[in-house]
Amino acid sequence: MGRNPNIMIVDEDEFFLKRMGAAVGGGDRFACSVKAFSDRNKALKALKSDPPDGLIISETFFGDDIKSIYHGQVSVLGEEKTAGTVSRYSGVSVILGTLGEVGNLVLKSPGKGREKVIGVFSFCETGIKTAYALTKAGKLGRDHKVLYINLDEFPSFSGEDAMSFSDAVYEFRKKSTFKGVDITERTGKGAGFEYLGPAVCPEDILNRTPEDMRRFTEALINECGYDMVILDMGRLITRDWDMDLYCDETEAVCRPSVERQMNGLENFLWHSGRTNLLEKMHRVNVAEDLEGYTGELEWEMNSVKWMNRMK
């Protein structure tokens, strides 16, 4: 293509257009150009005169006249996900992902910002989520200095040789800074990344507000030299679905068995006005034959399989 992609969004819902247009073309996350239309006739005229690289369009607008003049990559939005549509309540990254090569290029083209804090959560069993988060940390750790933090209230990840999350929070809370504290010296060392041990008790997670988490992770990045922090979320930390306030991106680890719960969450976030989180959230589907994390010894064997299967 040799340039940043052009994306056209066509939908009768003005609020949706504004949200999608800002999320895709705002320049903070993706490097692409966006045109948005709520008027079908104007959209047809634009498609004829200046066809985009990718088209995001509502199911009600995608008729034979549009199909006859546009033959590029199309993402059709419906009220629910079907064989030919993607749910309009999905996260922006999910919708872009259905645009094939064009969507993948947009997702890989950074805008003005870059991800620093990545939250990982799931309705799947805890071990699957933790296995994915550890693999993510290992992948990113090849090119960045990465810190993994497990926030499960009943963790399978022990991190026994590392400073715990509770101890790190205590050190930070004393002066609201990590200056003078050598975090790296006290972290555990994984395959290309560092990690904190889990919290000593659930209250150390439960009592953290979004503002606490934002300041805590910012200090880890700005004062301790980490490029990225991976937050392996537990049920306590996701109870209010406010991860958008301290995560630059959230990834939902999915298998077919939790499809219904994910659809329900996306609908809930949309109808309750929590579109900020939807814009930062995208699903990650993991293969059924990948086993969850159950302990360090087993993980030494399973991690290779996860690493090979993870894009």
Side-chain angles (χ1 to χ4, degrees), residues 117-122 126-127 129-131 133-134 147-159 163-170 178 194-210 212-214 216-217 220 229-239 242-244 246-247 249-250 293:
V117 181
I118 301 174
V120 177
F121 74 97
S122 181
T126 299
K129 171 181 62 67
T130 293
L134 289 170
L147 180 67
Y148 165 89
I149 302 177
N150 185 288
L151 295 173
D152 277 308
E153 51 271 31
F154 303 108
S156 55
F157 179 80
S158 66
M163 178 186 196
S164 72
F165 172 73
S166 299
D167 289 338
V169 167
Y170 174 75
F178 280 119
E194 299 177 25
Y195 59 84
L196 294 178
V200 175
C201 60
E203 283 74 16
D204 292 323
I205 303 171
L206 184 62
N207 294 335
R208 301 281 74 75
T209 67
D212 291 337
M213 290 300 300
R214 185 186 62 78
F216 178 74
T217 52
L220 288 169
V229 175
I230 306 294
L231 298 178
D232 186 351
M233 303 289 197
R235 294 299 172 92
L236 288 181
I237 203 73
T238 59
R239 67 195 184 280
D242 50 16
M243 294 96 78
D244 58 300
Y246 53 90
C247 292
E249 179 178 337
T250 58
Y293 177 90

Side-chain angles (χ1 to χ4, degrees), residues 66-74:
I66 288 181
K67 295 176 185 178
S68 67
I69 64 172
Y70 183 73
H71 306 288
Q73 297 281 2
V74 181

Side-chain angles (χ1 to χ4, degrees), residues 97-305:
T98 63
L99 284 176
E101 294 180 2
V102 173
N104 290 334
L105 181 59
V106 175
L107 290 168
K108 292 178 181 178
S109 301
K112 293 181 291 186
R114 65 182 177 91
E115 292 114 16
K116 292 182 178 180
V117 181
I118 301 174
V120 177
F121 74 97
S122 181
F123 292 114
C124 297
E125 60 186 86
T126 299
I128 295 295
K129 171 181 62 67
T130 293
Y132 175 83
L134 289 170
T135 308
K136 181 84 175 181
K139 284 274 190 180
L140 292 174
R142 294 173 175 176
D143 302 307
H144 305 278
K145 185 178 179 182
V146 176
L147 180 67
Y148 165 89
I149 302 177
N150 185 288
L151 295 173
D152 277 308
E153 51 271 31
F154 303 108
S156 55
F157 179 80
S158 66
E160 293 175 350
D161 57 341
M163 178 186 196
S164 72
F165 172 73
S166 299
D167 289 338
V169 167
Y170 174 75
E171 291 288 352
F172 179 72
R173 193 169 52 198
K174 286 192 294 186
K175 297 181 180 179
S176 294
T177 181
F178 280 119
K179 292 177 181 177
V181 180
D182 193 342
I183 290 290
T184 295
E185 189 178 79
R186 300 168 63 182
T187 57
K189 304 300 184 285
F193 62 94
E194 299 177 25
Y195 59 84
L196 294 178
V200 175
C201 60
E203 283 74 16
D204 292 323
I205 303 171
L206 184 62
N207 294 335
R208 301 281 74 75
T209 67
E211 177 63 18
D212 291 337
M213 290 300 300
R214 185 186 62 78
R215 293 190 300 110
F216 178 74
T217 52
E218 282 183 354
L220 288 169
I221 290 167
N222 297 328
E223 299 175 13
C224 303
Y226 294 103
D227 298 314
M228 296 184 180
V229 175
I230 306 294
L231 298 178
D232 186 351
M233 303 289 197
R235 294 299 172 92
L236 288 181
I237 203 73
T238 59
R239 67 195 184 280
D240 296 322
W241 302 106
D242 50 16
M243 294 96 78
D244 58 300
L245 300 178
Y246 53 90
C247 292
D248 298 294
E249 179 178 337
T250 58
E251 299 191 353
V253 181
C254 297
R255 281 181 168 173
S257 58
V258 300
E259 179 79 14
R260 192 171 182 177
Q261 289 167 289
M262 278 304 304
N263 288 339
L265 171 62
E266 289 170 351
N267 285 330
F268 166 75
L269 292 174
W270 175 270
H271 290 295
S272 62
R274 300 302 308 278
T275 54
N276 286 343
L277 179 54
L278 275 175
E279 289 165 7
K280 296 181 179 182
M281 183 175 72
H282 65 275
R283 301 189 192 192
V284 178
N285 295 312
V286 298
E288 292 287 346
D289 63 332
L290 290 175
E291 299 178 19
Y293 177 90
T294 57
E296 282 77 359
L297 293 178
E298 293 84 354
W299 182 241
E300 289 181 9
M301 296 180 287
N302 289 334
S303 62
V304 176
K305 192 173 183 179

